Amino acid sequence: MGTVVEGTTVSLVGTKHKATGPLLVTHWGASGPAILKLSSYGARYVHDCDYQFPIAVNWIGLTNSALVAEHLQGIVDSNPRKFLTSVHPFGLPTRMWQYILQKTALGADKRWDELGKKGLNKLVEALTNDQYKVTGKGAFRDEFVTCGGVSLSDINLNTMESKVCKNLYFAGEVLDVDAITGGFNLQAAWTTGFVAGKAMAL
Ligand SMILES: Cc1cc2nc3c(=O)[nH]c(=O)nc-3n(C[C@H](O)[C@H](O)[C@H](O)COP(=O)(O)OP(=O)(O)OC[C@H]3O[C@@H](n4cnc5c(N)ncnc54)[C@H](O)[C@@H]3O)c2cc1C
């Protein structure tokens, strides 16, 4: 809890959705930019899965297993008698590294030269393809922006007037428009509000 791992890549297993960035381990689950972006990209998919789906975390952002193995072998060669816990590969935070060792059942009392090929492969897998099962989402109103809403195909985008109901205008969050955080949602709300306001005043 409270650990941030920079430069992760998180993906929705079995889909093309993935997002990169820091991952924050909170007291209730996973958060941080990588998770927020992924939940935005895959919003419809995760909804269809009723928020029960597997994710794969690459804790180090490196996807080439051979390179990861090479890096770990480099640690074995230069620190053979050091304990696994005392050298953190890829600058992982201490607690995250300890957790990964615990998860892979590689004892804290093991030294790097006792790792062996099997142990090294286990670590490569845990660092690059660490799978978790998502079992729910944050509470309603916790979200920054919601996916879905009034379909853009039912709106005249030059005026924001409904094509279905004359003199009814839509703007902002109520529309089926959403984006990752960084100002895009606010911009969408302001821009569509401006266009709708101007059209209504005519
Ligand atoms: C915690 C958080 C962080 C965010 N961070 C970002 C960010 O970094 N970048 C970004 O781009 N976007 C961000 N957003 C999203 C952004 O704030 C929204 O997309 C944007 O404010 C939507 O504007 P809106 O006017 O359409 O809707 P809202 O801001 O939701 O305004 C709707 C208003 O209608 C009122 N209302 C609701 N029902 C009724 C009713 N029946 N009668 C009268 N009034 C009613 C509500 O009280 C509210 O004041 C964030 C949102 C949250 C919650």
Side-chain angles (χ1 to χ4, degrees):
M1 284 185 268
T3 302
V4 180
V5 183
E6 306 283 342
T8 69
T9 301
V10 190
S11 45
L12 295 176
V13 176
T15 78
K16 286 186 175 158
H17 297 298
K18 60 169 74 170
T20 56
L23 188 153
L24 167 67
V25 182
T26 74
H27 62 284
W28 50 262
S31 188
I35 297 294
L36 293 178
K37 279 192 275 182
L38 186 64
S39 64
S40 173
Y41 300 152
R44 286 192 163 85
Y45 173 79
V46 298
H47 172 266
D48 292 348
C49 296
D50 198 22
Y51 303 97
Q52 315 273 333
F53 53 91
I55 57 166
V57 183
N58 182 319
W59 293 107
I60 53 179
L62 253 182
T63 49
N64 187 326
S65 302
L67 280 182
V68 179
E70 204 176 294
H71 181 91
L72 294 176
Q73 188 57 49
I75 299 178
V76 174
D77 296 342
S78 46
N79 305 276
R81 295 311 293 155
K82 283 205 172 155
F83 288 112
L84 290 178
T85 44
S86 64
V87 185
H88 310 173
F90 304 99
L92 281 173
T94 310
R95 284 195 293 164
M96 179 50 68
W97 178 232
Q98 284 169 349
Y99 172 75
I100 284 174
L101 290 177
Q102 195 187 327
K103 199 175 174 206
T104 47
L106 293 166
D109 53 346
K110 240 189 177 52
R111 296 175 194 268
W112 279 93
D113 65 352
E114 293 164 353
L115 193 58
K117 189 145 179 58
K118 217 169 155 189
L120 195 130
N121 288 340
K122 240 180 173 183
L123 278 184
V124 172
E125 182 72 2
L127 289 170
T128 59
N129 185 28
D130 195 14
Q131 300 215 359
Y132 296 87
K133 191 169 183 313
V134 173
T135 57
K137 63 180 180 114
F140 177 57
R141 290 190 179 283
D142 264 5
E143 61 277 274
F144 285 10
V145 63
T146 48
C147 177
V150 177
S151 170
L152 295 187
S153 58
D154 289 339
I155 303 279
N156 176 349
L157 294 176
N158 293 318
T159 59
M160 302 314 294
E161 185 182 14
S162 167
K163 288 180 186 169
V164 179
C165 180
K166 210 173 155 27
N167 289 324
L168 180 62
Y169 293 77
F170 292 104
E173 188 75 67
V174 76
L175 294 165
D176 186 8
V177 172
D178 67 282
I180 57 170
T181 55
F184 306 106
N185 300 294
L186 287 167
Q187 185 63 61
W190 294 328
T191 304
T192 52
F194 176 81
V195 173
K198 224 173 140 190
M200 279 188 271
L202 282 178

